[in-house]
Amino acid sequence: MSRAELADFLRRRREALRPAQMPATAIHPPGRRARRTPGLRREEVAALAGVSVSYYERLEQARAARPSPEVLAVLGTALRLTVTEREHMARLAGQVPPGTEADRRPVPAEAQGLLDRLGSIPAYLVDERQDIVAWNSAASALIIDFGLLPAEERNTVRLAIRLGGTFCRAPAGEEREFARQFAAQLRAAAARYPDDRSLPELINELAAHSPEFLAGWRDHDVRPVPMLRKFLRHPELGDLEVVCQTLLLPGTGLQLAMYTAEPGSPSATALARLGARSE
């Protein structure tokens, strides 16, 4: 159990809630005590969850014993956590065993076969650390020749630092979303593999590079991977507007990332041409 991480997670989720979102009976009238933060008070969360104020305070102070699944369930409801956030909280509370290196098996042959069958669709597989563990030739033709990179550089986070701004950019107004998504993914990985010594190095590297990542990391931002729009600048094809869709491969811990474009668009035509050359 990571008491400090659990305490910080609970505090961040509590502070993210607004009194206006909650039942009036659980919220102290405004005049009773001035609010120093925009979020809920500890006693309000305790009342919503049906636990004692002193116990909840000890949880946020990293002084309480491991909470039971029943306590986590009522806290999840009180804090309005998503399914992903509830799973993350259970890991921090020690209710889910941590992962080990033995969990990271070689890429299944059927997963590599799936990549190859995608043909002209650029695609790759990443593990929880965002290491690119397999790819097809279309992905190498679109992004970078992964086979020429040292293994430690085949990581979407490090490639974002290396290529960001020159190769890939977000739509206007969504720039911070990329970095916060990396924070969410690495938060989940760090909770699952607390003994992985390579993760802190990767996290510190991106935090030093991106204030948006650091903000997302500090907020304990955990969520599923969304479908992201990106603008790519290819040396031969020019500017491309693509969609990166990520799917979880059940039973593997791997995620499949695929790059597609709006059917009939110039970007779709360019991707098809690139894919035909890479086959």
Side-chain angles (χ1 to χ4, degrees), residues 75-92:
L75 287 176
T77 300
L79 294 170
R80 299 198 169 188
L81 302 184
T82 65
V83 171
T84 303
E85 289 171 333
R86 287 173 183 260
E87 292 174 353
H88 182 68
M89 179 173 65
R91 285 194 180 280
L92 296 180

Side-chain angles (χ1 to χ4, degrees), residues 54-189:
S54 62
Y55 175 69
Y56 184 76
E57 286 179 343
R58 291 198 303 276
L59 281 174
E60 279 204 13
Q61 294 166 353
R63 296 189 297 111
R66 175 186 297 183
S68 68
E70 292 76 17
V71 168
L72 294 181
V74 294
L75 287 176
T77 300
L79 294 170
R80 299 198 169 188
L81 302 184
T82 65
V83 171
T84 303
E85 289 171 333
R86 287 173 183 260
E87 292 174 353
H88 182 68
M89 179 173 65
R91 285 194 180 280
L92 296 180
Q95 296 296 344
V96 179
T100 66
E101 283 299 320
D103 298 331
R104 293 179 168 133
R105 301 178 180 88
V107 176
E110 56 269 26
Q112 182 64 61
L114 173 60
L115 286 175
D116 296 335
R117 288 194 298 273
L118 288 172
S120 63
I121 299 176
Y124 53 79
L125 294 172
V126 295
D127 63 12
E128 293 94 339
R129 287 180 293 206
Q130 299 307 297
D131 287 337
I132 300 169
V133 295
W135 58 90
N136 62 13
S137 55
S140 286
L142 175 65
I143 303 170
I144 195 170
D145 190 339
F146 299 116
L148 298 179
L149 295 176
E152 65 272 12
E153 292 299 320
R154 293 181 205 142
N155 179 278
T156 59
V157 177
R158 288 198 167 98
L159 286 175
I161 295 174
R162 175 176 170 180
L163 301 177
T166 61
F167 170 74
C168 175
R169 62 183 174 87
E174 299 179 19
E175 294 85 359
R176 65 195 296 268
E177 182 63 22
F178 282 13
R180 292 186 72 92
Q181 187 59 49
F182 280 135
Q185 291 167 295
L186 293 182
R187 261 291 180 192

Side-chain angles (χ1 to χ4, degrees), residues 2 16 38 68 79 139 150 160 163 172 176 212 251 254 256 265:
S2 176
S68 68
L79 294 170
L163 301 177
R176 65 195 296 268
E212 292 82 6
L254 300 174
L256 172 67
S265 67

Side-chain angles (χ1 to χ4, degrees), residues 118-123 136-143 167 230-234 236-245 258-279:
L118 288 172
S120 63
I121 299 176
N136 62 13
S137 55
S140 286
L142 175 65
I143 303 170
F167 170 74
K230 299 181 179 183
F231 292 98
L232 308 182
R233 176 160 293 172
H234 192 271
E236 297 178 30
L237 303 177
D239 291 337
L240 304 173
E241 182 176 354
V242 300
V243 171
C244 181
Q245 188 168 3
M258 298 178 292
Y259 287 79
T260 59
E262 184 69 25
S265 67
S267 294
T269 301
L271 284 181
R273 190 165 67 248
L274 185 68
R277 292 211 312 260
S278 64
E279 290 179 349

